[in-house]
Amino acid sequence: MTATHDAQEPSRRDFLYIATGATAAIGAGFLAWPFIAQMNPDRAALALASSEVDLSQIAEGQVVTVKWRGKPVFVWNRTKDQVETAKSVPLSDLPDKQARNENMPGADASDVNRAAKGKENWLVVVGVCTHLGCVPISNSGDFGGWLCPCHGSHYDSSGRIRRGPAPENLPVPPYAFDSDTKIKIG
């Protein structure tokens, strides 16, 4: 036998090295798991992941800002005229045709897909401009919704981008009506 032939053929010692290394790697994984698992948020932190809003305090036409996961969320009790104006906008006029609604993934940006079914007067959107993260001003801009004063993004009364550098509509967070006067965001 030549030396080159012995170097290519695995031996019992090679197998023991590989088996020992694999066992050590698995053992290290089991040892590290409790340390990794303790980095997950506890139940108290997860409870803060949702926010309840009392709608009975919001007058028709009024926009209220609440905090959810450290972000501003606009809750708007739109008037009938504002709802009708938002519904009348053709999709072809919108730069972003996606609803960006976590409650209806993949839906188009029509007003029906941005508000809750049967409660179209309530609009809930994350109040962060999709351009650079500024907070837009409510009841402003050329389309009666929001205006981001930093770079001039105009949103309509459904939170859809209509003009300016913002690439997307204001996102609709996951929310549900607990009752006629209360919603839970998150």
Side-chain angles (χ1 to χ4, degrees):
M1 287 192 186
T2 63
T4 58
H5 188 276
D6 288 338
Q8 293 178 359
E9 191 173 308
S11 68
R12 179 179 170 96
R13 181 172 290 184
D14 293 336
F15 172 75
L16 290 175
Y17 283 142
I18 292 171
T20 303
T23 303
I26 292 170
F30 278 117
L31 182 65
W33 182 256
F35 297 107
I36 294 169
Q38 64 89 22
M39 291 185 217
N40 288 330
D42 66 351
R43 290 177 194 226
L46 291 175
L48 294 175
S50 64
S51 203
E52 290 188 354
V53 180
D54 182 10
L55 301 176
S56 65
Q57 305 298 317
I58 304 173
E60 187 177 45
Q62 183 182 9
V63 180
V64 173
T65 306
V66 297
K67 286 277 191 183
W68 173 66
R69 294 184 180 173
K71 298 179 209 169
V73 173
F74 299 138
V75 180
W76 189 1
N77 186 0
R78 302 182 295 175
T79 64
K80 289 182 183 184
D81 289 340
Q82 290 166 332
V83 172
E84 292 305 317
T85 300
K87 284 182 178 180
S88 69
V89 175
L91 286 176
S92 59
D93 288 357
L94 302 174
D96 183 12
K97 311 254 187 290
Q98 296 295 315
R100 311 279 175 209
N101 186 343
E102 289 194 40
N103 301 304
M104 297 178 195
D108 66 42
S110 61
D111 185 67
V112 174
N113 294 333
R114 305 251 320 142
K117 187 174 185 175
K119 300 187 186 306
E120 288 83 14
N121 60 310
W122 293 105
L123 182 68
V124 180
V125 294
V126 176
V128 177
C129 180
T130 58
H131 180 234
L132 290 176
C134 307
V135 177
I137 300 169
S138 302
N139 293 318
S140 298
D142 295 342
F143 301 95
W146 290 271
L147 170 67
C148 183
C150 301
H151 297 98
S153 293
H154 295 258
Y155 298 90
D156 66 8
S157 60
S158 191
R160 300 171 295 198
I161 184 66
R162 298 294 298 278
R163 182 181 317 140
E168 297 179 353
N169 299 325
L170 294 176
V172 177
Y175 73 95
F177 280 83
D178 286 345
S179 67
D180 287 340
T181 60
K182 188 181 282 189
I183 61 169
K184 183 176 182 180
I185 303 171

